[in-house]
Amino acid sequence: ESACDALSSFCFGASIQLNPKIDRSSSYFWEGPNNFYSKDLNLIIPSFSEKDEGYYTFTVVGGSCGVSKKRIYLTKPEANSLVADFDVNQAVQCFGNNLYEFQDKSISSNGSDINKRQWVIAGDKKNYAEVLKTTFKDTGLFIIGLLIEDVNKCRDTIEKYIRILPNPKIDLKINGKPAFCAGDSSVLSISSSEVDNLNEFKWLKDNIAWDSVATEVTVKQAGNYQVMISNKDGCATISDQFPFEVYDNPTISLLQPSTYFICDSVPVTLNAVTDGLVYWYFNGQPIAGATSSQLKAHRGGVYEVKAVSSNGCMTLSDTKINLNIVNIPKPDFSFINSCIQFPVAFLNETKGGDNYQYIWDFGDGTGVSYNKSPVHLFQKSGLFNVTLSIEIEECPEQIPIKSQKI
């Protein structure tokens, strides 16, 4: 008796082993296609091919039956039961550290299980999972290959191409400073050799999209700025973040003085309230050494003050103080006649304008006169102290006086 546990149908490339079960005391031999002959008990065909197709006869001589033969026909299945295939999301991909996935979509028409998969990327063999997960470390055209094999050693392979394109290069340039005072600004601009091939610009501030789609933006607020650009191939690049800091300007307030007139060289005190350093200006020019919050103003003209913070930010006061110089006149007078019952004419010889208020006191208890040069009638004889006072509206605290006894 003899038997063979091998199947009759195998795929090309399969390794086949024919294992007869016989009485070891018998002699035996194999015969097959293309004058094949072997005295080995276990026949091994390492890689089944078209030249190996045909009948294989195992002959046993001896034993209870004398001569016994068992024949088996080895052939390839009428059709390949495996079709290798896998998904590529896009034929063009952009370079990056993204994890790319390729899903095995191979089918077996006879229902046999696929028990072996081998992925090949640019000649490198990968794992045997249904899903290939990989990254590309460079740009270029890559061949993705998949080899599958079922339990019957049937195989199929497929190759597909994927092009990994470079992402656009990007560089940000800043025109200005990364830290500036409120009210100032800096400009961020895109520097790229591929500007003509760019398709979209998207500026981000603190990871939130701006409305601007230009190649440059004006930065006026604090935040972290960056830009994402994409080219016409759909590949995108996002820049590093550029942090900007905006310093607050110092506050400054110029208080109103008690008077706007410098009377007879008596200075006017000006006061400023600020949280920064103080610099005073006179008629638009800085006053040397005037860095206190208080200033004694001796000159007529326009005064203003500027505050400077520790970050160099400046604020000029909204208020300007215009001071005028008022020269205090020196009272002087003379008189004609000094007889009682006769009018005495007083001549005001004060040098100055006519906009002063003159007050005459004749010293006889008869009251005062506001005439510039009055005429007075003394009713009795004696020595009288005549006083001329001058009131100046702009300088009410300074009243010059001249007294003369007549």
Side-chain angles (χ1 to χ4, degrees):
E1 294 288 340
S2 64
C4 182
D5 59 2
L7 298 175
S8 62
S9 179
F10 297 91
C11 294
F12 286 160
S15 176
I16 302 173
Q17 182 172 347
L18 304 179
N19 302 310
K21 299 176 182 179
I22 63 169
D23 185 351
R24 292 287 181 175
S25 63
S26 304
S27 61
Y28 46 82
F29 60 88
W30 285 95
E31 293 176 295
N34 298 317
N35 298 319
F36 176 80
Y37 181 84
S38 175
K39 287 186 176 183
D40 292 334
L41 175 61
N42 297 322
L43 177 62
I44 298 175
I45 302 174
S47 181
F48 183 57
S49 65
E50 188 176 358
K51 67 180 181 61
D52 299 316
E53 284 189 293
Y55 283 101
Y56 288 80
T57 303
F58 182 65
T59 302
V60 179
V61 181
S64 59
C65 297
V67 177
S68 176
K69 293 185 178 184
K70 184 70 174 181
R71 190 169 73 164
I72 184 170
Y73 186 78
L74 300 182
T75 185
K76 181 185 177 184
E78 292 182 3
N80 193 353
S81 60
L82 289 180
V83 178
D85 193 17
F86 61 89
D87 277 348
V88 179
N89 293 335
Q90 294 180 7
V92 177
Q93 298 279 357
C94 301
F95 178 73
N97 293 323
N98 299 326
L99 187 65
Y100 298 93
E101 295 187 1
F102 302 93
Q103 177 71 47
D104 180 11
K105 294 295 183 180
S106 302
I107 59 174
S108 174
S109 60
N110 63 5
S112 59
D113 293 333
I114 299 173
N115 65 345
K116 182 179 180 181
R117 294 177 179 86
Q118 187 175 74
W119 295 90
V120 181
I121 301 179
D124 293 334
K125 297 178 180 179
K126 297 293 182 180
N127 57 31
Y128 299 92
E130 290 187 35
V131 179
L132 170 65
K133 297 181 179 181
T134 187
T135 58
F136 293 92
K137 303 302 182 182
D138 203 354
T139 60
L141 184 65
F142 295 90
I143 299 176
I144 311 297
L146 174 62
L147 180 147
I148 58 173
E149 182 179 290
D150 66 7
V151 294
N152 295 322
K153 303 299 183 180
C154 289
R155 294 181 176 184
D156 193 27
T157 61
I158 188 173
E159 290 182 344
K160 293 186 179 182
Y161 293 89
I162 182 171
R163 185 178 296 278
I164 304 299
L165 297 176
N167 292 317
K169 296 180 180 179
I170 184 173
D171 185 26
L172 284 183
K173 289 187 177 181
I174 178 174
N175 183 13
K177 297 180 180 179
F180 50 84
C181 302
D184 293 338
S185 63
S186 288
V187 175
L188 269 180
S189 60
I190 297 173
S191 174
S192 174
S193 59
E194 308 172 37
V195 170
D196 294 337
N197 191 42
L198 297 181
N199 187 52
E200 183 181 9
F201 310 92
K202 182 180 292 184
W203 290 92
L204 306 174
K205 175 181 176 289
D206 296 329
N207 299 317
I208 299 175
W210 265 14
D211 292 334
S212 178
V213 292
T215 56
E216 67 176 32
V217 292
T218 300
V219 177
K220 296 182 179 180
Q221 297 177 333
N224 295 307
Y225 293 79
Q226 59 191 145
V227 65
M228 182 175 68
I229 62 175
S230 61
N231 58 25
K232 295 177 182 178
D233 295 319
C235 297
T237 300
I238 188 166
S239 69
D240 294 334
Q241 288 187 333
F242 264 71
F244 283 88
E245 185 175 2
V246 178
Y247 301 130
D248 291 332
N249 291 318
T251 60
I252 182 71
S253 177
L254 182 55
L255 304 182
Q256 297 297 326
S258 59
T259 180
Y260 292 90
F261 300 97
I262 300 173
C263 299
D264 202 20
S265 300
V266 177
V268 173
T269 300
L270 301 179
N271 292 282
V273 179
T274 180
D275 53 4
L277 302 176
V278 175
Y279 296 88
W280 290 92
Y281 284 74
F282 174 71
N283 289 339
Q285 299 298 318
I287 302 174
T291 57
S292 173
S293 60
Q294 189 174 86
L295 177 71
K296 299 292 185 179
H298 295 84
R299 296 178 292 174
V302 178
Y303 291 83
E304 55 189 329
V305 67
K306 180 172 69 177
V308 179
S309 69
S310 59
N311 294 316
C313 298
M314 297 178 291
T315 302
L316 191 64
S317 61
D318 294 332
T319 303
K320 295 182 180 181
I321 302 297
N322 190 5
L323 298 182
N324 295 290
I325 292 179
V326 177
N327 295 316
I328 303 299
K330 183 177 181 180
D332 193 15
F333 64 88
S334 61
F335 60 93
I336 301 174
N337 190 17
S338 56
C339 299
I340 62 172
Q341 302 296 327
F342 286 93
V344 178
F346 291 90
L347 180 60
N348 193 333
E349 297 177 343
T350 304
K351 295 181 179 181
D354 295 330
N355 58 338
Y356 301 142
Q357 177 67 62
Y358 299 101
I359 305 173
W360 292 86
D361 187 341
F362 301 105
D364 60 355
T366 58
V368 297
S369 172
Y370 298 101
N371 294 327
K372 181 178 181 180
S373 296
V375 175
H376 184 68
L377 183 65
F378 289 90
Q379 299 296 329
K380 59 182 179 179
S381 62
L383 187 63
F384 300 94
N385 188 27
V386 178
T387 301
L388 172 60
S389 301
I390 302 177
E391 289 185 356
I392 304 172
E393 181 180 357
E394 296 86 351
C395 304
E397 295 181 359
Q398 298 193 35
I399 302 177
I401 300 174
K402 178 181 178 179
S403 295
Q404 183 174 341
K405 297 183 182 296
I406 64 172

